[in-house]
Amino acid sequence: MYALSRPLLFAFDAERAHTLGLASLEAAYRCGLSPLVATPPKPLPTKAFGLTFPNPVGLAAGLDKTGAHIDALLALGFGFVEVGTVTPLPQPGNPRPRMFRLPQQEAVINRMGFNSGGVDALVRNVERAQRKNGLVGINIGKNKDTPNEDAVADYLLCLRRVHAVADYVTVNISSPNTAGLRELQEEQALRKLVSALRDEQEKLASKDGRRVPMLVKIAPDLSENDIDAAARVLGDLGVDGVIATNTTLSREGVEGARHATEAGGLSGAPLMSQSTTVLRMLRTRLPDSIPLIGVGGILHGADAATKQAAGAVLVQTYTGLVYRGPALIGECVDALRRRKEAPSRGTLPPE
């Protein structure tokens, strides 16, 4: 079915197609037509962060920024959906146009800039969701106008507000589209931020009677020394998990393409090798007790298997959904199922 609707969606600019696609998916779900849109895969229960996921394939943050379409997205067959990035206060994000497709390269460039309805609106949406078929992560960030020296307060506010409704929380310090945000990945800034959030996480666990895992999402553009430093901090502070990676500022693999010179983060197939390299490096530097989510460049089931072979327990996709549609979800689950059933193969699938 997606093969029929894709040409229509691609006739619109990328952000308009994004909005139209979500609205159509929501309408289909409310009319009971989700089985016509996608056939959910058979379960493949996967444990990570003290949670059991129905299957290890999730939706990355950025598609449903407001948490308004959780049930419709889970009905496609995702084992989990991550919503956001959400900021404490509403903000419009960067000026349009701010999202661009590169079809030949199966890539997207975006500079959305944490457009957000604010954390209170997102929490209301998550509270309304039935969440029958999977888990929900909430990705938190800081407002654009909040200086980095005050960023801790923004992240703490978001953590407190989402704690009661999230299955897990992701700390986004790696988007390239909020000025200065990636500076929070520098070792001392990262230690200050994550230490404050870890303290608050434990206080909230005692107060609410449930411990919500906290993950940190990092960029693919870090040097090896930066990765060493980040792993040292995240290991020392005992975060529950790490997501590798966000979008990249690199334009390797899209040189000369229309829109390739647009500012913003690049996602999709050209990111696969770079993000997997960072994932693999993190796996060798972090304790085995800290699970990883692999994201970036998953366009086929073999890509998901490559991420898992590189050290990921779970995987996420976003741009792949734009180009392949919901069939990609089942394809990835099936690839991971085959890998689980034949662990003796043990070889890394080709990238």
Side-chain angles (χ1 to χ4, degrees), residues 51 53 80 82 136-138 166-170 212-213 215 293 316:
L51 303 172
F53 295 77
F80 61 108
E82 189 170 312
V136 176
I138 301 180
D167 291 309
Y168 71 86
V169 176
T170 297
V212 177
L215 287 58
I293 297 180
Q316 290 177 320

Side-chain angles (χ1 to χ4, degrees), residues 173 190-191 194 198 215-218 227-243 282 286-287 290:
I173 51 173
L190 181 62
R191 189 174 293 276
V194 176
R198 284 285 291 113
L215 287 58
V216 176
K217 187 170 186 175
I218 70 165
I227 292 171
D228 289 341
R232 186 162 52 246
V233 171
L234 299 176
D236 288 349
L237 296 177
V239 298
D240 295 291
V242 178
I243 300 180
L282 282 169
L286 287 168
I290 298 181

